[in-house]
Amino acid sequence: MKVQNETMSLKEIIKIPDPVLRTKCDPVETITPELKKLMDDMLETMYDAPGIGLAAPQINIPIRLIVMDAANKEEEQEPDPIIMINPVILKSSDEVSTYEEGCLSIPEFFAEVERPANVLVSYRDKDGNPQEKNCEGLLGTVVQHEIDHLNGVLFIDYLSKLRRDRVIKKFAKAKKAVSI
Ligand code: NI
């Protein structure tokens, strides 16, 4: 079936404390036209936000699919969209790097997180072909942050309990305020 003039659409990004963000996501079994459309929608949603990474659970779909564009941060750079299906970290460097991280599901909160500086990731690409990519620099951090999302892990989990609880409480309060 061929769909003409198919337009991409923006998805709603869910925020903490939505329980879907704490779900261990299911692997993708088959790559369907609907899934390819979802990948395009995720990229469009990420660029629109704007963000440099988005995981499927953040749009309320708990499957192992992430999109990223670490080049998007530098405006002069050409876009470099990366789609990873069922990503797995094969190797992590002993060397670490620290970036100030944020998350589209935890708006307006940023904190420094230390992670391995380089990771080797295996995944399936948009067409289902097996790939391996060495991710370093900003992309190294982004890919680890996004893979964490597939396991229900958020970057605030790396902070002290005191700081994490403060953020969670703030968002729980905000949710209550709009739901009355
Ligand atoms: Ni995030």
Side-chain angles (χ1 to χ4, degrees):
M1 189 185 71
K2 205 170 171 193
V3 181
Q4 296 290 341
N5 299 323
E6 195 177 34
T7 52
M8 294 189 283
S9 50
L10 295 176
K11 301 288 184 185
E12 194 192 334
I13 298 172
I14 60 172
K15 316 281 185 325
I16 58 166
D18 194 307
V20 174
L21 293 168
R22 292 305 194 176
T23 307
K24 187 166 165 58
C25 300
D26 295 324
V28 172
E29 305 286 354
T30 38
I31 296 166
T32 59
E34 291 73 26
L35 191 75
K36 286 195 176 185
K37 164 92 166 70
L38 179 68
M39 298 175 205
D40 289 338
D41 289 346
M42 281 177 63
L43 276 171
E44 198 196 11
T45 302
M46 179 191 78
Y47 286 126
D48 179 75
I52 57 174
L54 186 69
Q58 292 182 276
I59 53 161
N60 212 7
I61 302 175
I63 59 170
R64 304 188 81 80
L65 167 64
I66 60 176
V67 300
M68 296 166 291
D69 190 340
N72 194 32
K73 208 166 183 228
E74 318 292 334
E75 272 183 25
E76 308 81 44
Q77 264 178 278
E78 287 291 304
D80 182 22
I82 299 171
I83 295 168
M84 292 187 177
I85 298 165
N86 300 340
V88 175
I89 294 174
L90 300 177
K91 257 192 257 173
S92 303
S93 66
D94 293 331
E95 187 199 333
V96 293
S97 63
T98 303
Y99 278 96
E100 184 166 69
E101 295 189 25
C103 181
L104 295 173
S105 296
I106 314 173
E108 289 164 34
F109 178 76
F110 302 90
E112 288 197 337
V113 177
E114 187 184 273
R115 298 179 187 268
N118 307 301
V119 287
L120 179 65
V121 182
S122 77
Y123 61 98
R124 303 251 165 195
D125 65 19
K126 193 174 181 174
D127 300 308
N129 300 313
Q131 306 283 355
E132 276 186 15
K133 190 175 181 69
N134 187 45
C135 302
E136 54 188 8
L138 182 58
L139 182 62
T141 283
V142 176
V143 77
Q144 291 174 77
H145 176 121
E146 301 312 328
I147 291 173
D148 273 352
H149 272 301
L150 307 182
N151 297 317
V153 175
L154 301 170
F155 83 98
I156 54 173
D157 298 344
Y158 297 97
L159 309 180
S160 69
K161 189 177 183 305
L162 184 75
R163 259 185 110 188
R164 181 171 62 248
D165 287 351
R166 206 185 290 152
V167 177
I168 291 170
K169 209 182 247 175
K170 191 182 127 197
F171 279 87
K173 229 184 213 169
K175 197 187 176 194
K176 224 180 188 174
V178 292
S179 61
I180 49 171

